[in-house]
Amino acid sequence: MCKFSLLVRVYLEDTDAGGIVFYANYLKFMERARTECLRAAEIDLGHWQREHNRLFVVRSVTIDYHLPARFDDQLTVNANIMTIRPASIVMEQPIFRGDQLLLSSTVKLACVDADTLAPTAIPNAIREAMTREL
């Protein structure tokens, strides 16, 4: 299954008044890693939306915060596909600073029809690209 890592630098805009990454900003880091994971697998989501009327939406997220990240830290944000079902994907998305685990998370994505938002099958081309090693 696809395993991907993205390096992210923490900027001042990512932090709260105490200089610690604001908890919701980790979701942005995770979204970037998922998007870049798909890009690395040569999946053009814009194409699939325009040509096949399909979207991936977040169905649920579970997060455990272990240690804080701070201004100027360099983080490794992972996007590891764990399970691909007919209309959904489960990803593990831990975030590290060096070898320190800062955050562990599981993200469930649903493939939906762009007009109705009803669950729909993940196209075979996307499924095949996601199961290749990067």
Side-chain angles (χ1 to χ4, degrees):
M1 293 288 179
C2 180
K3 294 185 183 287
F4 183 81
S5 295
L6 177 69
L7 295 178
V8 173
R9 177 73 62 190
V10 175
Y11 298 112
L12 276 175
E13 67 187 28
D14 301 319
T15 63
D16 60 17
I20 294 172
V21 171
F22 182 66
Y23 76 97
N25 286 334
Y26 291 101
L27 293 169
K28 294 177 183 181
F29 300 158
M30 292 161 46
E31 178 74 28
R32 289 180 206 157
R34 286 194 306 275
T35 299
E36 293 302 327
C37 175
L38 295 176
R39 183 171 282 124
E42 298 180 357
I43 298 170
D44 180 347
L45 289 178
H47 166 79
W48 285 99
Q49 181 178 353
R50 287 186 306 278
E51 301 296 320
H52 302 282
N53 211 38
R54 306 272 171 85
L55 299 173
F56 282 102
V57 297
V58 174
R59 181 174 177 267
S60 67
V61 178
T62 59
I63 297 177
D64 287 314
Y65 298 94
H66 304 289
L67 294 169
R70 299 177 186 277
F71 169 68
D72 209 35
D73 282 350
Q74 185 166 2
L75 309 179
T76 302
V77 184
N78 295 294
N80 304 323
I81 296 174
M82 306 305 291
T83 307
I84 300 178
R85 295 194 173 110
S88 66
I89 300 168
V90 178
M91 298 186 86
E92 175 188 61
Q93 288 206 257
I95 298 178
F96 292 86
R97 178 182 50 233
D99 61 356
Q100 292 182 304
L101 177 64
L102 304 184
L103 177 149
S104 53
S105 66
T106 302
V107 179
K108 295 179 183 175
L109 304 166
C111 184
V112 299
D113 179 279
D115 295 327
T116 65
L117 300 182
T120 189
I122 298 170
N124 285 335
I126 290 179
R127 180 184 302 280
E128 290 169 10
M130 289 180 167
T131 56
R132 277 186 254 135
E133 293 294 323
L134 295 180

